[in-house]
């Protein structure tokens, strides 16, 4: 199998994975994913960027079958979907030099059991000459782990960005062929992987703002021939200002909480606020994460199981806390039978969200007129708070 040309002397040797449906035993992959790897051939030296996920190593092996010599293996990121094939590459090319960022060196040793003596670290901004092709290493921490770097090919202005700007999608084409479509995939990816590090992502965006970038070649999903749209999207997703929207993860057992969610949703819509309700009994948590990217308010809606929130909703609460979206306000609504600590438990579970808590509405059994009026008042309060933010 021949490496696939992206531009002269830059080739694709990665693998789509059409069948994978879950990443990290957590993240749904409705459209599969890809593990991208690239060959950069200079006049004198050749570099391989990333060594892909072990389950697809046979694809990399096939691409490299007729590549007798590679001088450098560049590991931008230690997570195994990019580094898992490193031991095989080191075996296949005994003279190859493995390059990584300084913080990656111990991590590669820890995660892959590599001999740290085999790793040469490169500094932020350091250049590697291949002969007519110059690679520059740019430390871009926390996209997605603390050690992550990007690699920039100066002559051709290609940014090998690793995880950031990536998307979980499998396709046979190498390039983005529908900008709107891929932005939705990239937003899902950002929401699930990058959002907890939003502030650092902003700094990394600043770091590359004066870089001329003709192509972004990420390690998941297709290559951007016009990178402006994805860079602008990252600017918007990481921006501190949310949108005029509310996310409601909910579930119902006997209908009470469903009635409350319906009333609050209708009431918010009447006040011009967009609402994204997710029934956690069947919701795709990737869609929930995407809605959290922009939302100004999180309303947790759950019935009480024993004394706490229904576990399916509590799972969404824990996830929201881990993803650290830019939400500014939060509330809890729901129902209970005879006793409950649901509100306290939800509040205690979201310490990473810097939110102002708005009044809660909890019904004993079926919601009645008083609870419906309280939900309308909560909608008033949310709309007012959003207005105060200029949304
Ligand atoms: Fe694609 Fe952080 O691994």
């Amino acid at each position: 199998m021949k490496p696939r040309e992206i531009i002269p002397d830059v080739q694709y040797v990665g693998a789509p994975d059409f069948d994978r449906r879950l990443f990290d035993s957590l993240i749904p992959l409705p459209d599969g994913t890809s593990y991208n790897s690239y060959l950069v051939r200079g006049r004198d030296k050749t570099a391989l960027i990333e060594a892909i996920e072990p389950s697809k190593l046979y694809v990399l092996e096939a691409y490299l079958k007729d590549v007798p010599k590679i001088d450098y293996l560049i590991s931008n990121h230690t997570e195994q979907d990019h580094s898992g094939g490193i031991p095989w590459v080191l075996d296949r090319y005994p003279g190859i030099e493995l390059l990584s960022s300084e913080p990656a060196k111990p991590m590669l040793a820890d995660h892959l059991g590599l001999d740290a003596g085999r790793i040469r670290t490169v500094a932020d901004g350091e250049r590697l000459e291949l002969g007519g092709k110059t690679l520059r290493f740019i430390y871009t921490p926390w996209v997605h782990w603390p050690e992550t770097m990007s690699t920039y090919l100066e002559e051709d202005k290609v940014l090998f960005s690793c995880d950031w700007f990536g998307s979980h999608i499998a396709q046979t084409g190498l390039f983005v062929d529908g900008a709107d479509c891929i932005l939705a995939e990239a937003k899902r990816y950002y929401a699930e992987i990058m959002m907890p590090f939003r502030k650092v992502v902003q700094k990394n965006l600043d770091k590359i703002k004066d870089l001329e970038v003709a192509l972004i070649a990420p390690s998941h999903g297709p290559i951007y021939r016009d990178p402006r749209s994805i860079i602008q999207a990252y600017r918007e997703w990481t921006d501190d200002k949310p949108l005029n929207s509310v996310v409601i993860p909910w579930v119902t057992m006997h209908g009470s909480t469903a009635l409350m969610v319906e009333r609050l949703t209708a009431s918010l819509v009447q006040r011009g606020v967009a609402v994204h309700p997710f029934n956690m009994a069947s919701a795709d948590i990737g869609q929930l994460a995407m809605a959290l990217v922009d939302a100004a308010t999180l309303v947790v809606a759950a019935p009480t199981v024993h004394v706490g929130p229904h576990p399916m909703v509590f799972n969404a609460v824990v996830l929201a806390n881990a993803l650290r979206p830019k939400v500014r306000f939060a509330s809890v609504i729901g129902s209970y039978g005879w006793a409950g600590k649901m509100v306290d438990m939800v509040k205690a579970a979201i310490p990473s969200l810097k939110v102002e808590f708005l009044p809660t509405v909890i019904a004993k059994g079926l919601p009645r007129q008083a609870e419906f009026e309280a939900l309308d008042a909560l909608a008033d309060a949310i709309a007012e708070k959003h207005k105060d933010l200029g949304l």
Side-chain angles (χ1 to χ4, degrees):
M1 198 154 72
K2 289 195 176 105
R4 299 173 66 186
E5 182 174 281
I6 297 166
I7 54 174
D9 298 318
V10 177
Q11 298 165 327
Y12 182 87
V13 289
D17 189 341
F18 288 93
D19 297 324
R20 190 161 178 182
R21 285 291 170 269
L22 201 59
F23 199 90
D24 291 345
S25 299
L26 174 67
I27 296 166
L29 302 178
D31 300 306
T33 188
S34 69
Y35 319 106
N36 301 342
S37 186
Y38 302 96
L39 267 182
V40 182
R41 296 171 182 271
R43 224 176 17 250
D44 310 314
K45 306 277 188 184
T46 297
L48 175 67
I49 299 174
E50 313 288 12
I52 83 169
E53 157 80 28
S55 65
K56 289 288 174 184
L57 195 50
Y58 65 92
V59 179
L60 183 65
E61 289 180 31
Y63 274 127
L64 298 183
K65 187 166 177 291
D66 297 319
V67 179
K69 184 166 183 281
I70 297 178
D71 301 280
Y72 303 105
L73 170 55
I74 295 162
S75 173
N76 279 333
H77 177 27
T78 305
E79 195 166 10
Q80 289 86 339
D81 51 317
H82 310 275
S83 69
I86 287 178
W88 176 82
V89 175
L90 295 182
D91 268 2
R92 165 86 170 87
Y93 299 99
I96 200 169
E97 201 167 11
L98 173 58
L99 309 182
S100 77
S101 72
E102 184 77 42
K105 184 172 179 172
M107 293 179 74
L108 284 167
D110 287 342
H111 289 273
L112 298 179
L114 290 179
D115 172 4
R118 289 240 25 202
I119 304 166
R120 170 156 80 90
T121 60
V122 293
D124 187 20
E126 185 173 330
R127 288 180 166 83
L128 180 72
E129 296 292 342
L130 304 178
K133 300 273 184 209
T134 310
L135 297 175
R136 192 198 315 169
F137 305 107
I138 303 171
Y139 279 24
T140 46
W142 294 109
V143 290
H144 143 232
W145 281 2
E147 88 309 359
T148 308
M149 66 179 186
S150 302
T151 298
Y152 179 63
L153 174 56
E154 293 187 340
E155 288 79 2
D156 300 296
K157 304 176 176 45
V158 182
L159 183 68
F160 299 98
S161 61
C162 197
D163 270 346
W164 69 324
F165 306 126
S167 49
H168 280 312
I169 180 168
Q171 60 178 54
T172 55
L174 296 183
F175 296 95
V176 169
D177 55 10
D180 291 344
C181 182
I182 202 64
L183 282 181
E185 297 281 0
K187 185 174 189 180
R188 172 187 277 270
Y189 188 87
Y190 164 84
E192 293 162 334
I193 309 284
M194 303 286 160
M195 188 156 63
F197 317 113
R198 184 171 63 88
K199 291 287 183 187
V200 196
V201 177
Q202 284 176 339
K203 285 186 185 155
N204 286 327
L205 289 170
D206 288 343
K207 194 166 182 178
I208 64 158
K209 78 177 179 351
D210 296 324
L211 206 62
E212 273 190 77
V213 181
L215 290 179
I216 289 182
S219 292
H220 299 290
I223 297 164
Y224 290 85
R225 278 193 274 227
D226 178 2
R228 288 172 300 182
S229 58
I230 185 66
I231 291 174
Q232 179 57 28
Y234 261 68
R235 281 276 176 211
E236 289 166 12
W237 299 335
T238 57
D239 188 79
D240 292 334
K241 193 168 179 180
L243 299 182
N244 184 18
S245 67
V246 175
V247 170
I248 310 178
W250 67 280
V251 80
T252 198
M253 291 165 70
H254 300 289
S256 294
T257 303
L259 286 172
M260 298 176 78
V261 170
E262 277 180 26
R263 178 61 172 248
L264 180 62
T265 300
S267 205
L268 284 165
V269 169
Q270 289 288 309
R271 288 156 179 79
V273 180
V275 184
H276 302 281
F278 293 95
N279 184 340
M280 297 312 299
S282 56
D284 169 350
I285 61 169
Q287 295 280 350
L288 172 71
M290 286 167 77
L292 283 169
V293 168
D294 306 307
T297 297
L298 170 67
V299 176
V300 176
T304 302
V305 175
H306 302 302
V307 294
H310 191 289
M312 282 181 168
V313 175
F314 202 52
N315 186 40
V317 171
V318 171
L319 182 68
N321 185 64
L323 295 178
R324 286 184 273 165
K326 62 180 98 161
V327 287
R328 302 286 190 86
F329 311 102
S331 178
V332 184
I333 66 173
S335 59
Y336 69 104
W338 51 91
K341 294 181 180 169
M342 177 166 68
V343 172
D344 291 341
M345 289 175 70
V346 169
K347 286 184 177 180
I350 50 176
S352 296
L353 304 187
K354 306 303 172 205
V355 290
E356 175 186 343
F357 284 100
L358 302 177
T360 59
V361 184
I362 308 297
K364 185 172 186 184
L366 272 175
R368 295 176 175 80
Q369 189 58 27
E371 284 82 29
F372 288 131
E373 285 173 9
L375 289 166
D376 292 343
L378 176 58
D380 275 335
I382 291 170
E384 197 60 35
K385 291 288 183 187
H386 288 196
K387 198 169 152 203
D388 291 346
L389 285 181
L391 307 181

